[in-house]
């Protein structure tokens, strides 16, 4: 039986008042564990550029990176809907370019839907992609691919004018066929207003408690990274320290000669190496 979550399931969840759980994952084990942890949507986010590939922002991620990581995620997760981010400059040039690259994420990567960032200027593109049968998750508020335009990772929609524009953009993206909308770093009340006004579900990240679902970055949730952590993240684990401690233990044991121990070696009962050693000694004597 195929019990894969679909975009239809996700839209219905809003109408049934069921909160949607979305989490990023970037490879086979993270996808497998996200599936076991019962998330509804896995986002192969372009945040992979920062948390996995070590870039300073998401602008360096390529379409090939996204396809490569999506393939691994698809192999690891059987139930969640898999949404892949369209990376910077893979959809901004023209709507034709956007459709072609969205198609590659579906056809070559195996994603079920794509996500792209931006409001008004992206509406026509979302319409073009969804008209070809590819589901789109839209993304408003703090859109990290526009970091150079925004000037930093700040809360968005802080003035009446900016709030109005975000609401209008959200409605336009819904009308263009987006099946859901990510709201990143948005005041709680504005995110709540947008969520009430839309028929499609909103998924918040730093957008408070009134959205239809929540998304977090895998590494943030698990403490699998070092450095700055945004206010909106809740850390459920401290993997970085656990992993570091485990590796330090291994280093120490190898250096002390404590690894491998008696239980970690192969011993074959009837293996007798004395004949082999006798032959080697003979060979040595002949060559002298
Ligand atoms: O790339 C990403 O991880 C994202 C989430 C922060 C929504 O876009």
């Amino acid at each position: 039986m195929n019990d894969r979550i679909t975009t239809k399931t996700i839209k219905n969840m809003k109408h049934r008042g069921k909160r949607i759980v979305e989490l990023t994952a970037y490879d086979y084990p993270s996808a497998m564990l996200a599936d076991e942890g019962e998330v509804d949507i896995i986002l192969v986010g372009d945040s992979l550029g920062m948390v996995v590939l070590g870039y300073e922002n998401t602008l360096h991620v390529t379409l090939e990176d996204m396809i490569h990581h999506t393939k691994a995620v698809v192999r690891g997760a059987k139930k969640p809907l898999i949404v892949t981010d369209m990376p910077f400059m893979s959809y901004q040039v023209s709507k034709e370019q956007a459709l072609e690259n969205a198609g590659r994420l579906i056809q070559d990567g195996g994603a079920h839907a794509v996500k792209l960032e931006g409001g008004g200027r992206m509406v026509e593109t979302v319409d073009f992609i969804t008209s070809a049968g590819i589901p789109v998750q839209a993304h408003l508020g703090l859109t990290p691919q526009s970091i150079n335009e925004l000037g930093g990772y700040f809360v968005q929609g802080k003035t009446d004018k900016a709030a109005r524009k975000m609401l209008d953009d959200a409605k336009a993206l819904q009308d263009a066929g987006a099946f859901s909308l990510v709201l990143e770093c948005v005041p709680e009340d504005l995110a709540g207003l947008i969520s009430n006004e839309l028929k499609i579900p909103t998924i918040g990240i730093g957008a408070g408690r009134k959205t239809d679902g929540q998304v977090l970055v895998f590494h943030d949730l698990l403490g699998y990274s070092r450095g700055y952590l945004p206010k909106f993240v809740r850390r459920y684990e401290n993997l970085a320290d656990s992993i570091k401690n485990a590796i330090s233990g291994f280093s120490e044991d190898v250096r002390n000669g404590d690894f491998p121990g008696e239980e970690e070696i192969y011993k074959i009962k009837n293996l007798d190496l004395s004949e082999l050693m006798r032959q080697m000694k003979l060979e040595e004597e002949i060559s002298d």
Side-chain angles (χ1 to χ4, degrees):
M1 194 185 75
N2 184 5
D3 59 356
R4 175 77 75 180
I5 292 172
T6 65
T7 54
K8 199 171 161 200
T9 326
I10 298 299
K11 284 194 279 189
N12 283 340
M13 285 174 77
K14 173 162 181 146
H15 303 301
R16 289 190 289 130
K18 280 195 78 187
R19 288 181 188 279
I20 298 157
V21 182
E22 181 165 338
L23 181 66
T24 69
Y26 314 100
D27 57 16
Y28 178 81
S30 59
M32 191 183 72
L33 296 172
D35 191 354
E36 285 180 22
E38 299 181 357
V39 307
D40 301 305
I41 303 176
I42 289 182
L43 172 64
V44 188
D46 63 351
S47 50
L48 84 88
M50 298 170 82
V51 297
V52 176
L53 303 178
Y55 295 128
E56 61 165 336
N57 55 45
T58 59
L59 302 182
H60 309 282
V61 178
T62 66
L63 190 71
E64 298 311 319
D65 290 333
M66 296 310 297
I67 291 171
H68 179 72
H69 285 270
T70 301
K71 281 178 168 175
V73 166
V74 169
R75 288 192 286 269
K78 303 292 168 243
K79 185 158 185 208
L81 177 78
I82 296 167
V83 179
T84 294
D85 253 334
M86 298 199 70
F88 182 56
M89 290 316 291
S90 71
Y91 59 98
Q92 289 91 343
V93 175
S94 67
K95 58 185 201 285
E96 288 78 13
Q97 179 222 23
L99 176 56
E100 200 170 322
N101 288 331
R104 286 206 59 207
L105 292 172
I106 303 291
Q107 207 163 35
D108 300 347
H112 308 122
V114 299
K115 177 164 85 57
L116 57 84
E117 298 180 5
R121 59 191 171 195
M122 281 303 145
V123 169
E124 213 187 317
T125 300
V126 170
D127 188 25
F128 201 60
I129 298 175
T130 56
S131 299
I134 298 177
V136 174
Q137 181 168 69
H139 184 159
L140 290 176
L142 172 56
T143 46
Q145 290 176 18
S146 305
I147 182 67
N148 290 321
E149 190 183 24
L150 299 174
Y153 297 101
F154 307 124
V155 176
Q156 302 295 307
K158 289 197 288 189
T159 61
D160 285 359
K161 193 171 161 215
R164 173 88 242 176
K165 174 152 174 33
M166 205 183 294
L167 176 62
D168 290 346
D169 281 351
K171 286 181 176 168
L173 289 162
Q174 169 177 268
D175 293 346
F179 77 93
S180 62
L181 170 68
V182 168
L183 290 172
E184 179 166 355
C185 285
V186 174
E188 180 174 65
D189 286 343
L190 175 58
L193 177 74
I194 293 173
S195 304
N196 282 339
E197 289 293 312
L198 294 190
K199 291 189 190 71
I200 58 169
T202 56
I203 317 285
I205 173 161
R209 294 159 289 189
K210 299 175 183 173
T211 52
D212 302 301
Q214 298 289 333
V215 55
L216 279 181
V217 167
F218 188 89
H219 292 57
D220 291 347
L221 181 152
L222 293 167
Y224 188 16
S225 55
R226 300 276 191 220
Y228 171 76
L229 201 64
K231 165 187 162 80
F232 58 76
V233 171
R234 184 178 295 176
R235 259 203 171 153
Y236 288 84
E237 267 299 339
N238 186 353
L239 283 194
D241 280 350
S242 304
I243 292 172
K244 193 216 77 181
N245 290 339
I247 296 171
S248 297
F250 173 60
S251 300
E252 204 178 306
D253 288 352
V254 170
R255 290 188 182 116
N256 290 341
D258 287 343
F259 177 83
E262 189 64 22
E263 300 80 39
E264 289 137 350
I265 57 173
Y266 298 109
K267 274 191 175 165
I268 307 298
K269 248 196 198 144
N270 300 323
L271 179 65
D272 180 2
L273 296 179
S274 54
E275 177 55 21
L276 176 60
M277 283 158 73
R278 196 186 62 80
Q279 278 177 18
M280 284 166 63
K281 203 161 170 229
L282 261 180
E283 282 165 15
E284 239 172 64
E285 281 167 12
I286 292 167
S287 72
D288 288 345

